Amino acid sequence: MKTQRSRFLTDYGMVVVLLLLCVFFSVVTYTEQSATGVAAVGQVAGAIRAGERVLVVGGQTTGDVAFLAELERQLRAGGVEVMEVVSGGPREARKTLERAMSEGKELDGVACSELAGRWLIFENVGQAFPGLSGVRVVKPQRSRFPSFLKADNLLNIANQIAVIAIVAIGMTMVIVAGGIDLSVGSLIALSAVLVSVLIRDYGGGAEAGTWQLVGCSLVAVLLCGCFGGFSGLMVTRFDIPPFIVTLGMMLVGSGLAYLLADGQSISAMPDAFVWLGRGADLVGLPNAVVLMFGLYGVAHVVMNHTQLGRYLYAVGGNREAAILSGIPLKRVVLVTYLASALLAGLGGVIMASQLKSGSPTYGTMYELYVIAAVVVGGSSLSGGKGRMFGTLIGALTIAVIQNGMNLTNVESYTQKVVLGLVILGAVLLDKVRK
Amino acid sequence: MEMDKGRGLSYNGGMKGFFGWTLGVLAAVTLVSCGEKGGSEGGARGTIAVSLLTLENPFFKIIGDHLAAEAKAQGFEALIVSADKDMAKQGNQVKDFIVKGVDAIVLSPCDPKSVVPVIQEANAAGIPVFTVDIPCPDPEAKIVTQIATDNYGGGREAGMAMIEVLGKSGGKVAILHLKQAQSCILRVKGFREVIDAFNVKGGPKIELVMEIDGGGARDIGYRAAEDALQAHPDLRGIFAINDPSALGARAALEKANKADQIAIIGFDGMKEGKVAIKEGKMYADPIQFPDRMGVEIVKAFVKWSLGEEVAPEILIPTQLYRKADGEKDPDLK
């Protein structure tokens, strides 16, 4: 029982670290939040008495438009005289107030949405408009809730890490089999450029249909796969260290991306292309995140319940023994580089979709983030050890730390230091475990 | 239990390492979070979030520093991060800003095209977006105002400086261009117009004999100036669209022993450029004012938020910087 528990902690220690980080960031981002939606309407409407004349102000966001409509309805139902409803920016609000003053209209209050309540014009109406010093500004009340735990933010984290996490699947396979792949960052850029060039030149640009988009994406991913196949061949046939081979491919891939794109970013693509990177069809989950979890499910099965998975661990754990027991070592190693390149290609397509354009500058340093995710997730760089689930946790840990630091106003330089320390800590843990 | 094969066999030290590691990470994160933030609630009046192209270039660093100082003076807190020229990173930073519920977002876009969907997300959240130095001209992205140097006016100033040197004698002038950059096209346009207007007046003419790519960089500027000297050995002036290419040109002139024959006008006012002007290696620079840009952004935001009219573009004029200015400049002592 005891052994089992300590084994669980060793295997899933990172989960606990991740949870602790989440708790930590929840505490430090526990801050004032304005009520939104129905609760906010009730609050604001409740603070205004029947018979008063009010101006209703909000922004143009979908949330605010709905808020204004509902607020106007409730106010009118409560016998409040709604002078006008303004949906726009502070400029429109000021113009309306100025007009009301010049027409000599009497005003008792202004009812704001959360967004409009933050505009400086409503900070002190009496100061901005001396004639309106008696006017009350009613804003939604503030309650306290951690920004970190807002549903929007949690989806944000998953969405931000999707590309790195997907590429890290391939990297885990490579690393478990005892290799390393430095070319993934460049392949992300190459794939993003390839897919945008293909759409622009052969898919019909901004008028491309769904099948053209799918076709172009597949071709881009497969072409990246060819690069992986080539790396794999160099490693297995000629026995060149994978570090050197993939370093070379990193330069080749990056250079080709710049050549193909002519150093520019390419954005001639239809709106439909952003479906993959920015759509959210399944119960509000972003499509890229759904894809990420799906791929992790598949990868988990491959690593733990198939022959290929067992071969990977065997090859990485003890090369000689693997050869002696008849495992087709070369083929297994080749497959890992192929998988890594294909997934990097997919990552590039997702990134192009998220940003609705392809540029050779994408993916810079991503190979290092990907390797960091794998290592933080408990895989050993000497091969033979590592789990898909761990890599996912590693990627999420990196994302949580980055997001948390952005939320707590830690500036760029310090963010790098902290991330570096986290990676060092993970490798240290790896050593201690041995 | 097939799946156990690949994993580590020894569990000794697992617990210890795990707790040590956890404590270490938490300590590190706590330390920076508490040390850096001025309370996660931001300034008393709100937060202005800024994602700049890079902080390695002193130009952007100065923008950021002055923006933060002005924001503080107005009661806001500024959150300044570097996108490290990585568009995806900038996109993630903006997403975090939106979730954080900041009051304004300031960007110098890593890519004027790819930034469009990112700005649209901020638009959809109702947060005002300002751009600095690099514009995003796409009409689908709503921007309150774009703040940049008046490059056209600066080009005109460069032209006037060239007339100060060559007005009496006339002579051949080469332009080291960087045609990819919209800002540099404006600089050269202003320069040409002033020189053309001068030539119409009669008297000695300043001839713009060639316009070559100086790459905006020292090495390419060097080669371009060498080529210009081969084509026109009697060249009298060079206008380079920025300081690095001007300094590259200066090196080429020194190598060809023609430094005294040819006057160089640069652009920017980077420290290196100012030093070269002080030492007489370059004649003059129209200098940019990144410090004013930082201050103007905060002022534009406050005006916007008060509902006052904000111009869609705010241009910061340049100023000619000559040897005499260099000698008085306290930064160069």
Side-chain angles (χ1 to χ4, degrees), chain B residues 190-257:
Chain B
F191 182 79
R192 277 186 173 278
E193 282 183 12
V194 169
I195 300 287
D196 289 346
F198 171 78
N199 287 340
V200 172
K201 282 187 209 154
K205 287 213 182 336
I206 298 177
E207 271 182 273
L208 299 177
V209 287
M210 65 191 306
E211 195 179 281
I212 40 175
D213 186 18
R218 230 175 229 257
D219 49 345
I220 305 176
Y222 176 85
R223 286 200 300 269
E226 276 193 329
D227 291 347
L229 283 176
Q230 292 300 323
H232 301 281
D234 54 344
L235 203 65
R236 292 296 311 281
I238 290 178
F239 169 47
I241 47 72
N242 70 359
D243 277 347
S245 54
L247 291 166
R250 169 73 195 186
L253 299 190
E254 282 172 6
K255 185 177 159 237
N257 269 329

Side-chain angles (χ1 to χ4, degrees), chain A residues 222-369:
Chain A
L222 289 178
L223 283 174
C224 281
C226 295
F227 277 78
F230 183 76
S231 300
L233 271 183
M234 297 293 273
V235 171
T236 51
R237 262 302 140 73
F238 303 106
D239 227 9
I240 309 174
F243 189 94
I244 306 294
V245 173
T246 55
L247 184 72
M249 292 314 280
M250 167 174 127
L251 296 173
V252 172
S254 172
L256 276 179
Y258 273 95
L259 280 175
L260 270 174
D262 206 13
Q264 307 274 314
S265 72
I266 300 160
S267 60
M269 42 178 75
D271 289 338
F273 188 60
V274 303
W275 175 83
L276 180 62
R278 288 199 279 150
D281 290 337
L282 192 74
V283 292
L285 282 172
N287 293 335
V289 174
V290 174
L291 181 64
M292 173 181 90
F293 284 123
L295 284 172
Y296 269 93
V298 173
H300 179 80
V301 172
V302 169
M303 292 299 270
N304 293 318
H305 301 289
T306 66
Q307 197 184 36
L308 175 66
R310 286 195 294 276
Y311 282 177
L312 284 177
Y313 285 111
V315 166
N318 190 334
R319 208 179 140 92
E320 298 307 317
I323 295 172
L324 289 176
S325 54
I327 290 174
L329 181 122
K330 290 188 174 176
R331 229 183 304 154
V332 170
V333 171
L334 185 73
V335 164
T336 61
Y337 288 97
L338 197 64
S340 174
L342 285 171
L343 287 163
L346 179 61
V349 170
I350 295 173
M351 202 182 251
S353 163
Q354 281 174 339
L355 294 166
K356 213 187 153 199
S357 57
S359 159
T361 59
Y362 293 173
T364 321
M365 295 262 289
Y366 271 44
E367 56 280 347
L368 299 185
Y369 287 118

Side-chain angles (χ1 to χ4, degrees), chain A residues 21-165:
Chain A
L21 277 171
C22 290
V23 170
F24 172 74
F25 281 121
S26 303
V27 172
V28 293
T29 60
Y30 184 71
T31 169
E32 283 196 333
Q33 311 279 344
S34 292
T36 45
V38 185
V41 175
Q43 273 180 15
V44 175
I48 296 169
R49 286 180 295 273
E52 283 186 316
R53 258 177 83 87
V54 295
L55 182 68
V56 177
V57 186
Q60 283 169 310
T61 63
T62 11
D64 263 22
V65 170
F67 172 91
L68 292 177
E70 176 62 16
L71 180 61
E72 188 186 5
R73 195 187 63 79
Q74 287 198 14
L75 285 175
R76 288 195 197 279
V80 177
E81 193 183 338
V82 177
M83 191 182 92
E84 205 176 323
V85 177
V86 182
S87 173
R91 181 94 193 113
E92 285 73 29
R94 172 174 280 266
K95 280 183 181 159
T96 312
L97 283 173
E98 280 170 353
R99 199 174 59 233
M101 271 170 60
S102 67
E103 287 169 7
K105 284 187 184 161
E106 274 200 22
L107 192 63
D108 297 307
V110 178
C112 293
S113 74
E114 188 270 325
L115 198 62
R118 290 197 273 163
W119 299 339
L120 297 178
I121 182 171
F122 295 127
E123 196 179 41
N124 192 343
V125 179
Q127 201 178 16
F129 302 92
L132 296 176
S133 51
V135 168
R136 248 174 356 122
V137 177
V138 183
K139 305 171 189 177
Q141 274 172 12
R142 297 184 156 242
S143 57
R144 293 179 77 85
F145 188 79
S147 308
F148 178 82
L149 281 185
K150 283 198 280 188
D152 277 353
N153 190 49
L154 296 179
L155 285 182
N156 214 357
I157 293 174
N159 209 15
Q160 285 179 10
I161 205 63
V163 170
I164 286 179

